[in-house]
Amino acid sequence: MTILRRISRQIVKNSRKYSSEKSSPEPKYPTRVFSGIQPTGSIHLGNYLGAISQWVQLQNQNKDLILSIVDLHSITLPHEPKKLSRNILELTATLLACGIDPNKAILFQQSKVSAHAELCWCLGCISTMARLAHLPQYKEKSENLKNIPLGLFVYPVLQAADILSYKATHIPVGEDQVQQIQLCQELARIFNGRFGETFPIPRSLITSSEYGRVRSLRDPSKKMSKSDPDEKSRICMTDMPDTIARNIKKAVTDFTSEVTFDPVNRPGVSNLISIHSFVSGKSVNDICQEVQGIDTGKYKFVVADAVISYVKPIQEKIGHYLNDVGYLYGVLEEGNAKAAQIANVTLKEVHEKLGMTVEGRKRDDIVAKCV
Ligand code: AQP
């Protein structure tokens, strides 16, 4: 079965889950999908296979979909301001080029909806340092830092605020994000328990391991990542054909020359086969049969050709959108306004539950009691 077909089957399965939820007497929280992506660099095939392609399918199934360019998250590690603003525009262009339609989904910039940071503070007050220190991504990212920024420690709470601001019920994420989603669920439960029912307990939509974790081309034990200092470790949607060919040619495989799919024992070559299967629409089995007799060195040329043809039309669209920066700003501004409208309602409710709202009759009662 091809990876594309598997994504579709998973989404159909999830849709059945949604429809059974819908047919139950009164769903407490309508189905809403939220996801975010950091503007930390060019989108790579891991982001595309693991997240964006799934978002496009959910959007095309008319799910209530909210997507955020999470720029507040992208400053948790040292960054260059000029690069960040360029990345925000490039990411907007890339998402549109990959098929995100701002008329069907809300696409917005996180920092422009201040409710995220405000809810983060409220949730931070019910989080514990011991719990946050246990999260593996924090451990991984802080490992080589002498002075650890507070933002890096707290960012899972901001992530929970991102999700809960919209009362999202489903979160499509890669496998690497599962523990952060668990924290979000815990915080929703704690808040509901202490201050009254406010948030749904969101569920992660993890598809399957093949595309939930596209591996680094240089070190198949790691995931492909925007922030990996080795540019040869990834294939970006904006890479020129010769860069794609070079990076795939240099991909670490092993000492067996045959092309076989065995993610546990042969993660390097299996990663290439998964990518090839996704971009060609062919099944892993068909690919392995087709390339029987070719060694991994020659197979890399086949994969590179397939990837180059797949990304070409997307790259053309990215170029087209980047030539119209005014349109990109317009898309974000519209998305920001729509997102703020929803998030501000949630924040108001949170303030009320926390006892921070003093207005109308309640205020008169309080003043009467005070005098
Ligand atoms: N290698 C991957 N395989 C599958 N899915 C992946 N995702 C990221 N890398 C892979 C998924 O892409 C979505 C957006 O991710 P992100 O940009 O918010 O941050 P990330 O997960 O930390 O991705 P990177 O590329 O590794 O970014 P940096 O280097 O900036 O930290 C998420 O749904 C993620 O699971």
Side-chain angles (χ1 to χ4, degrees):
M1 197 191 306
T2 68
I3 287 183
L4 261 180
R5 222 179 316 146
R6 249 176 267 149
I7 293 183
S8 305
R9 270 179 50 153
Q10 184 67 33
I11 304 247
V12 168
K13 252 168 100 190
N14 290 332
S15 309
R16 285 200 197 115
K17 242 192 282 167
Y18 294 142
S19 43
S20 66
E21 278 163 17
K22 270 188 180 152
S23 61
S24 65
E26 262 182 59
K28 219 177 201 174
Y29 298 100
T31 300
R32 175 171 281 157
V33 184
F34 177 92
S35 205
I37 185 159
Q38 297 185 70
T40 34
S42 293
I43 293 305
H44 52 71
L45 279 182
N47 299 131
Y48 185 70
L49 269 72
I52 300 169
S53 58
Q54 202 187 352
W55 299 346
V56 173
Q57 296 216 26
L58 289 164
Q59 164 200 278
N60 293 341
Q61 289 169 356
N62 296 320
K63 300 292 175 234
D64 181 352
L65 178 66
I66 303 183
L67 299 174
S68 182
I69 294 181
V70 288
D71 49 354
L72 292 175
H73 286 284
S74 67
I75 59 168
T76 49
L77 288 173
H79 78 287
E80 285 174 40
K82 271 192 189 148
K83 250 193 187 168
L84 177 58
S85 42
R86 173 77 199 167
N87 284 345
I88 291 169
L89 278 183
E90 194 182 293
L91 180 53
T92 310
T94 306
L95 291 173
L96 298 180
C98 290
I100 295 301
D101 178 349
N103 295 313
K104 292 185 178 165
I106 297 180
L107 174 63
F108 77 101
Q109 190 183 341
Q110 180 195 31
S111 63
K112 298 296 167 280
V113 180
S114 58
H116 288 239
E118 294 178 56
L119 182 59
C120 173
W121 179 262
C122 299
L123 296 176
C125 294
I126 58 168
S127 309
T128 67
M129 290 174 62
R131 179 68 180 90
L132 297 182
H134 265 103
L135 290 168
Q137 277 216 347
Y138 165 72
K139 285 191 196 158
E140 228 171 76
K141 291 201 170 176
S142 61
E143 207 173 44
N144 300 319
L145 295 177
K146 245 191 184 167
N147 295 310
I148 302 167
L150 183 60
L152 187 63
F153 188 67
V154 175
Y155 94 87
V157 183
L158 179 59
Q159 209 169 22
D162 298 336
I163 296 164
L164 298 179
S165 287
Y166 302 94
K167 303 199 178 195
T169 53
H170 295 82
I171 322 295
V173 283
E175 275 178 8
D176 53 312
Q177 297 289 327
V178 175
Q179 312 230 6
Q180 269 82 281
I181 302 304
Q182 284 168 350
L183 177 81
C184 174
Q185 293 168 335
E186 280 169 37
L187 290 177
R189 279 197 194 98
I190 294 173
F191 192 98
N192 290 349
R194 285 193 199 164
F195 306 108
E197 177 73 30
T198 309
F199 299 116
I201 309 303
R203 289 194 230 161
S204 39
L205 288 176
I206 308 288
T207 34
S208 103
S209 51
E210 278 112 310
Y211 41 87
R213 190 180 166 91
V214 176
R215 293 163 190 276
S216 154
L217 297 181
R218 300 298 295 160
D219 177 357
S221 69
K222 296 198 303 194
K223 70 165 192 160
M224 189 177 279
S225 183
K226 289 188 231 95
S227 54
D228 190 321
D230 187 349
E231 287 181 3
K232 294 191 201 78
S233 66
R234 57 187 166 260
I235 298 163
C236 294
M237 302 306 280
T238 48
D239 277 344
M240 290 292 108
D242 53 344
T243 308
I244 296 175
R246 180 201 64 188
N247 292 0
I248 292 179
K249 190 175 157 203
K250 295 213 178 270
V252 170
T253 48
D254 50 37
F255 296 110
T256 308
S257 65
E258 270 169 83
V259 178
T260 55
F261 189 72
D262 180 356
V264 176
N265 300 310
R266 303 195 65 201
V269 71
S270 302
N271 193 37
L272 292 180
I273 298 172
S274 292
I275 293 172
H276 186 191
S277 168
F278 184 92
V279 298
S280 65
K282 294 177 189 168
S283 73
V284 164
N285 283 345
D286 285 353
I287 288 175
C288 291
Q289 276 190 349
E290 256 179 36
V291 299
Q292 250 177 14
I294 309 185
D295 63 25
T296 48
K298 290 204 181 94
Y299 177 58
K300 288 176 179 175
F301 289 103
V302 178
V303 180
D305 283 347
V307 171
I308 291 166
S309 327
Y310 187 86
V311 298
K312 192 169 175 252
I314 297 179
Q315 291 186 337
E316 285 168 1
K317 286 187 193 157
I318 296 174
H320 162 80
Y321 285 119
L322 283 174
N323 276 331
D324 193 351
V325 171
Y327 174 73
L328 296 177
Y329 282 127
V331 165
L332 289 179
E333 270 168 26
E334 211 172 292
N336 297 341
K338 287 184 193 162
Q341 217 174 7
I342 304 171
N344 288 340
V345 172
T346 307
L347 188 65
K348 187 166 179 276
E349 187 186 346
V350 167
H351 282 183
E352 275 166 11
K353 295 264 168 69
L354 291 175
M356 290 166 165
T357 309
V358 184
E359 61 183 29
R361 265 188 53 199
K362 273 190 211 154
R363 185 178 53 191
D364 295 341
D365 288 352
I366 291 166
V367 173
K369 277 180 196 152
C370 289
V371 286

